[in-house]
Amino acid sequence: QLQLVESGGGLVQPGGSLRLSCAASGFTLDYYAWGWFRQAPGKEREGVSCISAKGGTNYADSVKGRFTISRDNAKNTAYLQMNSLKPEDTAVYYCAPLNYCSGPAVSWGQGTQVTVSS
C-alpha cells in the first residue's frame, strides 16, 4: 500500500527558506509525476508545482523563480525547495503522485504546515 510521509514544514521569517520532502513507500513512483499543492485557511487547494516522470517541471506564477521542485527516484522522494518565502505562502502543503502533471492524484500526503511570519 502506498504511503506518503511529508516533512520539512515549519515557521520561517519572510525571506527565509524551507525544503519540503515527500517520501513514498510501498510503491515505486518512477513513472509517475509528483505534484505539490497548498491550501491556505479559507481558500481552496491550489497547485504549486509539478515534475513529470521525465523531469519536466512547471510552477504556479506566484512561486516561479522562488520555488524549485525535484525528485530522487532512487529514494522514491520528491522535494520542494522554497526560497524568498512570503507571508502569502503560508498554507498546508501537500504532495501527491500524479498519473501525469495536471492529472488526477494517486494518493495524498498528510500535509505539512508552512507558516511565514515575522
Side-chain angles (χ1 to χ4, degrees):
Q1 183 177 355
L2 174 63
Q3 291 189 321
L4 302 170
V5 178
E6 299 180 24
S7 60
L11 173 64
V12 63
Q13 292 186 341
S17 298
L18 286 173
R19 188 193 195 205
L20 305 183
S21 299
C22 180
S25 61
F27 195 81
T28 299
L29 296 171
D30 292 9
Y31 302 106
Y32 288 79
W34 280 97
W36 283 96
F37 302 79
R38 67 186 181 186
Q39 187 167 20
K43 295 187 177 181
E44 293 187 355
R45 185 154 51 189
E46 63 174 351
V48 174
S49 182
C50 183
I51 183 167
S52 71
K54 293 184 178 181
T57 60
N58 59 56
Y59 299 91
D61 287 343
S62 58
V63 306
K64 279 181 182 176
R66 299 188 298 122
F67 290 11
T68 303
I69 190 171
S70 61
R71 62 189 295 160
D72 184 338
N73 287 344
K75 296 181 178 180
N76 220 19
T77 298
Y79 304 95
L80 186 67
Q81 178 68 45
M82 305 185 296
N83 298 329
S84 302
L85 283 161
K86 304 176 181 180
E88 51 264 43
D89 294 318
T90 295
V92 178
Y93 284 70
Y94 299 89
C95 66
L98 312 170
N99 288 324
Y100 49 90
C101 284
S102 78
V106 174
S107 183
W108 291 95
Q110 81 282 3
T112 186
Q113 177 70 47
V114 171
T115 302
V116 185
S117 175
S118 55

